[in-house]
Amino acid sequence: MTKSSVVTSTLPAQLTTKDRSVILDNVLAALQKRFYSPEKLKGDWQSAVEHHRPIIEGASTSDAFEQAMGDLLAELRSSHLGFFHSSARRASSRAALSATYLADATAYGSRWIFQDVHSGGAASIAGIEPGDVLLRVDGREITPPEHPVFQMGKPATVEVVGKDGRNRVAQVDVARPKGKKLHFVEPTLVEARHLGDGLGYLKVAMFPGMVGIDVANEISGGVEKLGAVASLIIDLRGNTGGGIGALRVMSLLTPNRIPVGFALDRRRVTANLESEKQKFRRFSRIPSSTKTLWWLVLQFAPTMVAKKPIMLETEGLGRKQFHGRIILLVNRHTASAAEMIVAFARENNLATVIGEKTAGKLLSATSVKVGHGFRLALPTGAYYTWKGLVLEGTPIEPDEQVEFDWRLRRSDIDAQLKQATEYGLAVRAEQAGAN
């Protein structure tokens, strides 16, 4: 990436102690007004604020200020919560590299090891692979629990130990994000291929966009490309969620229209939820083109303006040959909208779940301005499945547990996919024998 290709943005100016104090107070006010779980803002939280306030107000740089604010918010132990500047100068490996990692003991001590490396992302393009051991970023050693962060819009050097046991320095081009609020770099969204013997494979990396028209079309295109497969593996490993595009995957699990779930902010929680949910407006079709978004606006604008809940319902796409023989591949990084899919499949017995337990991070969220270009990302509502389960903080256990074995992965053996493939072929053979 050349200097001329880097998009510039306004960096935060040096803040005064008063500026930092005002921003902190704005964050606290926003939490009091909109945080989904107000009971968490008492007792221990108030003590944490008093402990962190002098550190936050006395931060000497913008980076130190962001870190201090992040340390305070971590006390709430909630997903979808963060503090960042709108210039989006820093991002996690998930956002910047389209990659995830886990911590484990290695010959080099405790290290981060790459787990999911999505095709088309910066890490994949640089040649980083699952199982690679992270040593340094820009020459600086990174060890757990410190997470690596990357400067958006700037190249970075990432030193890893590859599967051949040799140290290698990869030059990673960390692009600017496409939007101001959603700080991620989009990888290849959908991959589809045949695994043989009538078994299809569909991988979905994420669900960008609020309505998710593009990713929904790509998912449908992937299924069409596979043709008449008898069994289907849907790989959601490393999929950390996104928007309503996830509804298309849920709609592939069943021929019918089935209620999925809804998000409720704290003002809408009621003892009569079982009867009230029957009245919620239902969203049951992702448009095929942005040209028809006006139809959605006409239908749902009054509901959204009134901030009333909207129920997701599958699209009724009709019978598929692979119905009854679907496998969901998941891991510890499967979160948010991707977890909605897993929960829906589990509640309705529509798929077998194989892999690791999911992240247990399933909330609706937004971001708000808190001054001087800084924003607070915060969860505003809990997600409820149709049967009333709240999954935040409760990972979904797979039907068949297969942990990520990074040592095997360095030998090009994907144990989770291998188990899913064997299971899919066995189920098909069993059903063929019964017929």
Side-chain angles (χ1 to χ4, degrees):
M1 180 179 291
T2 63
K3 289 184 178 179
S4 60
S5 67
V6 177
V7 179
T8 59
S9 59
T10 303
L11 296 177
Q14 185 63 40
L15 302 172
T16 66
T17 301
K18 182 178 179 181
D19 292 335
R20 292 188 288 270
S21 179
V22 169
I23 293 170
L24 171 59
D25 288 339
N26 289 342
V27 166
L28 298 176
L31 288 169
Q32 288 292 340
K33 182 179 180 180
R34 305 193 64 178
F35 188 61
Y36 86 104
S37 183
E39 64 273 10
K40 290 188 175 183
L41 302 177
K42 301 174 182 177
D44 292 344
W45 169 248
Q46 295 300 325
S47 298
V49 171
E50 293 308 309
H51 170 73
H52 286 272
R53 181 179 285 276
I55 303 171
I56 292 169
E57 292 178 346
S60 58
T61 66
S62 291
D63 284 346
F65 176 57
E66 285 189 46
Q67 182 62 54
M69 286 295 303
D71 291 344
L72 169 61
L73 294 174
E75 300 276 2
L76 285 173
R77 294 177 175 81
S78 172
S79 66
H80 298 74
L81 190 61
F83 180 80
F84 59 95
H85 194 269
S86 56
S87 61
R89 296 171 301 129
R90 300 188 304 167
S92 67
S93 69
R94 175 184 64 82
L97 306 187
S98 296
T100 67
Y101 48 75
L102 56 79
D104 202 359
T106 73
Y108 310 91
S110 179
R111 294 287 178 177
W112 295 115
I113 300 154
F114 284 96
Q115 182 167 1
D116 305 291
V117 180
H118 293 307
S119 298
S124 176
I125 292 171
I128 294 171
E129 298 180 318
D132 284 358
V133 179
L134 176 65
L135 297 180
R136 298 174 182 84
V137 174
D138 290 332
R140 181 170 174 270
E141 191 167 7
I142 303 291
T143 59
E146 180 188 4
H147 292 270
V149 294
F150 298 85
Q151 295 288 323
M152 302 295 282
K154 294 183 179 180
T157 58
V158 178
E159 184 178 351
V160 299
V161 182
K163 61 186 179 184
D164 58 1
R166 297 180 180 179
N167 288 30
R168 183 172 68 86
V169 177
Q171 184 80 10
V172 179
D173 285 333
V174 184
R176 292 290 307 172
K178 293 183 178 180
K180 293 182 178 179
K181 297 181 183 180
L182 299 177
H183 299 152
F184 63 83
V185 176
E186 196 173 285
T188 301
L189 295 180
V190 178
E191 299 175 56
R193 66 178 186 267
H194 290 275
L195 299 180
D197 294 324
L199 181 60
Y201 173 85
L202 185 75
K203 178 178 176 62
V204 187
M206 63 188 304
F207 299 103
M210 184 173 136
V211 179
I213 292 174
D214 291 340
V215 70
N217 287 339
E218 288 197 38
I219 291 166
S220 293
V223 172
E224 185 176 345
K225 173 184 173 182
L226 290 173
V229 292
S231 305
L232 181 64
I233 295 172
I234 301 177
D235 192 345
L236 299 174
R237 292 177 296 175
N239 186 318
T240 51
I244 298 175
L247 182 64
R248 181 57 50 86
V249 174
M250 289 183 265
S251 299
L252 289 173
L253 306 183
T254 173
N256 306 316
R257 291 188 183 273
I258 300 178
V260 176
F262 50 90
L264 283 185
D265 67 27
R266 65 194 199 187
R267 296 172 302 166
R268 296 285 178 180
V269 178
T270 171
N272 301 320
L273 186 58
E274 190 62 30
S275 60
E276 284 295 315
K277 69 182 183 182
Q278 305 292 340
K279 306 173 188 176
F280 296 165
R281 190 65 183 269
R282 299 196 175 198
F283 182 99
S284 59
R285 176 67 68 179
I286 299 174
S288 60
S289 169
T290 55
K291 295 179 180 178
T292 58
L293 281 176
W294 62 269
W295 171 77
L296 282 183
V297 173
L298 288 177
Q299 275 201 317
F300 292 97
T303 302
M304 295 177 71
V305 169
K307 297 183 178 180
K308 293 181 179 179
I310 295 174
M311 166 71 67
L312 290 182
E313 182 179 65
T314 52
E315 300 174 275
L317 300 180
R319 175 66 58 182
K320 308 293 182 186
Q321 188 172 340
F322 50 74
H323 281 159
R325 294 178 297 277
I326 299 173
I327 299 163
L328 297 181
L329 262 180
V330 302
N331 66 11
R332 69 195 70 194
H333 305 292
T334 303
S336 193
E339 275 186 293
M340 289 169 56
I341 298 169
V342 184
F344 173 72
R346 174 65 57 78
E347 278 197 344
N348 295 281
N349 298 312
L350 296 173
T352 300
V353 182
I354 294 178
E356 301 171 330
K357 63 183 179 182
T358 61
K361 297 179 179 179
L362 189 49
L363 297 168
S364 60
T366 189
S367 69
V368 295
K369 296 178 181 179
V370 290
H372 293 271
F374 287 96
R375 301 187 72 96
L376 170 71
L378 76 162
T380 56
Y383 174 79
Y384 292 74
T385 68
W386 178 249
K387 295 183 180 179
L389 294 178
V390 179
L391 299 173
E392 172 68 11
T394 307
I396 302 171
E397 296 281 350
D399 297 306
E400 292 196 14
Q401 183 99 7
V402 184
E403 294 292 334
F404 175 72
D405 189 327
W406 61 271
R407 293 175 178 85
L408 277 179
R409 200 68 179 87
R410 287 166 70 84
S411 301
D412 294 323
I413 298 173
D414 185 340
Q416 294 167 333
L417 179 57
K418 183 174 181 288
Q419 177 65 20
T421 301
E422 291 174 353
Y423 180 89
L425 294 175
V427 169
R428 186 193 172 197
E430 181 181 339
Q431 292 183 349
N435 294 331

